[in-house]
Amino acid sequence: MQAVKLRDNIYWVGAIDWNLRNFHGYETGRGSTYNAYLIIDEHITLIDTVKAEFASEMIERIESVVPVDKIEYIISNHVEPDHSGAIPEMIKLNPDVTVLTSFPSGDKGLRMYYGDMNTKPMRSGESFSTGRYTFNFVTTPMVHWPDNMVTYLAEEKILFSNDAFGEHYATLERFDTGLDESILFYEVEKYYANIVQPYSQQVRGVMKIVDTLDISMIAPSHGVIWRDKVDKIIAKYKEMSEETLTDRAVVVYDTMWKSTEKIAKAIADGFERKGIKVKLFDLKINHESNIIVDVMKSKYIAVGSPTLNNTMMPNVAKFLTYMQGLTLKNKKYVAFGSYGWGGQSIALVDRCLEEMKLTRFADMIRVQYRPDKETLDSVREKIAGALGDTLI
Ligand code: FEO
């Protein structure tokens, strides 16, 4: 396996995970990459590593350029094991290597994961020279863990951004050239919705720092290296971090005997009557990490569940738990569902959405057994009527 040249003396030596389909609960239908970068200088340096099981792939790529025991420093921008997992193998092959990591969280985190090692903790604003190159460190807490930092190489105007500006996308291409842009930016958006979005406030702070840097290339830790579309990915991040909502709705549900689905469609019709575009997602078919991309951007959400054994359907509970963790804000919601006798699920869904600090725009919709035409008409009218009151 070969290294890929970014510039003279700078190489991609990461790994491609073609078969990744789940990244801590995020469905990764297009796989991912773990990007590591090799810098050839007076002091040879590696920026980030890969997941532990991909260590041999990374080492093979490094050795296509230089023997691995020539590496003196590893810059670890992030402790999460998809980027630090191969550090122990690097130390085994090269016990004198020193790991540059953020102070204090990176230093503490690496030791908690892997035990004692030679580290050089770096504070935000500090820099480190490898000879002809100087690396500047900026800590970016919570983008995506408390320890995160980005590394800027001023001489080459390259930002090694770790999780920021990345996407889970395994391709034959290492650069942002020659790829279908709609797929590429969908994966950027999906990554943001599922990984970065809860920390949008911190991202807005990072974007202010990015604005002060002269950047000709962004080399993240997942997906493609931004070379042609640097301005576009920065603009996209600014847009997403603003958390602006559109007049759209998402209707998410599970259904047992299609009654809750009928209500879902009537609710969708109610939205459409008010000119609000709406998407429907049956949770038996759609993974929550795909749905959340639309939820992130939409002003309205309706969540429905039939009652099963006195509670909501497990798929709905799974979706709500996932959504709760992503702390989506400023949405208006309605809970709905069909039931046989107890009907507890609808109030449980309603309470769950209320606990997420979303705003109920219509009272919950509960229908016993099958909704008839008259009931469905009243659902449409109720939604349209409630929206009439809330639309500005
Ligand atoms: Fe790609 Fe937060 O690790």
Side-chain angles (χ1 to χ4, degrees):
M1 294 194 178
Q2 299 294 306
V4 176
K5 195 172 182 178
L6 274 67
R7 298 263 172 85
D8 286 346
N9 308 311
I10 301 172
Y11 298 87
W12 174 87
V13 289
I16 306 173
D17 194 346
W18 294 102
N19 297 308
L20 184 76
R21 290 295 175 269
N22 190 300
F23 187 89
H24 54 52
Y26 168 166
E27 189 180 79
T28 48
R30 292 190 169 94
S32 193
T33 73
Y34 314 114
N35 298 336
Y37 300 96
L38 179 66
I39 315 295
I40 304 300
D41 202 354
E42 191 179 317
H43 302 288
I44 297 174
T45 299
L46 183 68
I47 300 182
D48 287 319
T49 70
V50 297
K51 257 188 186 173
E53 59 263 42
F54 290 88
S56 60
E57 182 174 335
M58 179 189 75
I59 288 163
E60 205 175 315
R61 291 190 202 278
I62 291 170
E63 297 224 311
S64 72
V65 180
V66 68
V68 73
D69 61 3
K70 298 290 182 201
I71 293 174
E72 290 181 58
Y73 297 98
I74 298 172
I75 295 172
S76 174
N77 281 321
H78 184 18
V79 170
E80 194 166 10
D82 49 334
H83 310 298
S84 68
I87 288 178
E89 184 63 20
M90 291 297 293
I91 292 172
K92 201 186 294 176
L93 296 169
N94 193 352
D96 294 330
V97 77
T98 297
V99 181
L100 278 71
T101 178
S102 65
F103 172 87
S105 306
D107 190 43
K108 183 181 173 192
L110 287 175
R111 290 172 191 282
M112 289 179 82
Y113 264 105
Y114 307 114
D116 197 27
M117 63 177 73
N118 299 326
T119 61
K120 186 173 171 54
M122 306 304 293
R123 293 171 192 270
S124 200
E126 286 191 317
S127 59
F128 180 77
S129 173
T130 55
R132 75 167 75 84
Y133 296 130
T134 303
F135 293 89
N136 300 288
F137 305 106
V138 179
T139 56
T140 54
M142 301 318 297
V143 187
H144 152 235
W145 279 11
D147 60 271
N148 272 79
M149 65 179 190
V150 297
T151 298
Y152 179 64
L153 174 52
E155 290 86 354
E156 294 287 337
K157 301 179 184 174
I158 301 176
L159 181 69
F160 297 94
S161 62
N162 198 266
D163 278 343
F165 305 112
E167 73 287 330
H168 286 312
Y169 191 12
T171 75
L172 294 171
E173 309 299 328
R174 298 282 62 79
F175 294 96
D176 59 351
T177 314
L179 292 168
D180 183 323
E181 212 170 289
S182 62
I183 294 175
L184 178 58
F185 278 89
Y186 171 76
E187 292 299 339
V188 165
E189 204 165 53
K190 183 174 173 184
Y191 186 91
Y192 191 91
N194 284 280
I195 302 269
V196 186
Q197 182 277 136
Y199 314 112
S200 288
Q201 188 184 337
Q202 288 87 343
V203 174
R204 291 196 288 276
V206 171
M207 298 316 292
K208 284 184 186 151
I209 296 166
V210 165
D211 278 343
T212 67
L213 303 174
D214 186 5
I215 298 172
S216 66
M217 184 180 282
I218 297 177
S221 59
H222 296 291
V224 300
I225 297 158
W226 301 96
R227 178 175 64 181
D228 295 341
K229 302 177 178 73
V230 170
D231 290 346
K232 205 162 186 174
I233 183 64
I234 289 174
K236 185 71 185 170
Y237 252 65
K238 283 183 180 169
E239 175 201 313
M240 293 187 296
S241 71
E242 290 302 325
E243 301 181 275
T244 306
L245 301 179
T246 57
D247 271 333
R248 291 191 178 201
V250 177
V251 180
V252 185
Y253 63 94
D254 198 353
T255 191
M256 206 186 296
W257 296 107
K258 303 286 184 189
S259 295
T260 298
E261 185 168 73
K262 284 183 200 300
I263 304 167
K265 288 181 178 174
I267 289 172
D269 196 30
F271 280 118
E272 284 179 355
R273 285 181 187 193
K274 296 306 257 185
I276 294 170
K277 289 185 175 164
V278 56
K279 284 190 179 180
L280 274 86
F281 294 99
D282 181 343
L283 284 161
K284 277 196 284 299
I285 297 157
N286 299 283
H287 192 270
E288 53 272 13
S289 62
N290 294 322
I291 300 170
I292 219 75
V293 185
D294 284 291
V295 175
M296 176 177 76
K297 296 182 287 187
S298 299
K299 202 178 276 183
Y300 300 96
I301 180 166
V303 181
S305 177
T307 299
L308 174 70
N309 299 329
N310 301 328
T311 188
M312 67 181 87
M313 296 278 278
N315 278 338
V316 180
K318 185 168 173 245
F319 170 76
L320 289 171
T321 300
Y322 193 79
M323 184 177 158
Q324 191 170 28
L326 292 171
T327 59
L328 294 150
K329 298 179 211 66
N330 302 323
K331 295 187 190 302
K332 296 177 168 51
Y333 80 87
V334 61
F336 67 96
S338 149
Y339 65 98
W341 44 100
Q344 298 93 331
S345 59
I346 303 106
L348 287 169
V349 169
D350 186 273
R351 194 170 75 201
C352 206
L353 292 163
E354 188 179 33
E355 284 173 357
M356 291 182 211
K357 300 196 175 4
L358 308 189
T359 306
R360 185 188 301 107
F361 77 90
D363 289 339
M364 65 180 98
I365 297 167
R366 304 170 83 250
V367 178
Q368 192 166 20
Y369 291 124
R370 288 175 71 80
D372 57 17
K373 183 178 177 309
E374 196 176 311
T375 304
L376 292 173
D377 282 343
S378 74
V379 168
R380 291 183 186 98
E381 281 162 22
K382 178 174 178 170
I383 294 298
L387 291 169
D389 295 330
T390 56
L391 280 177
I392 297 165

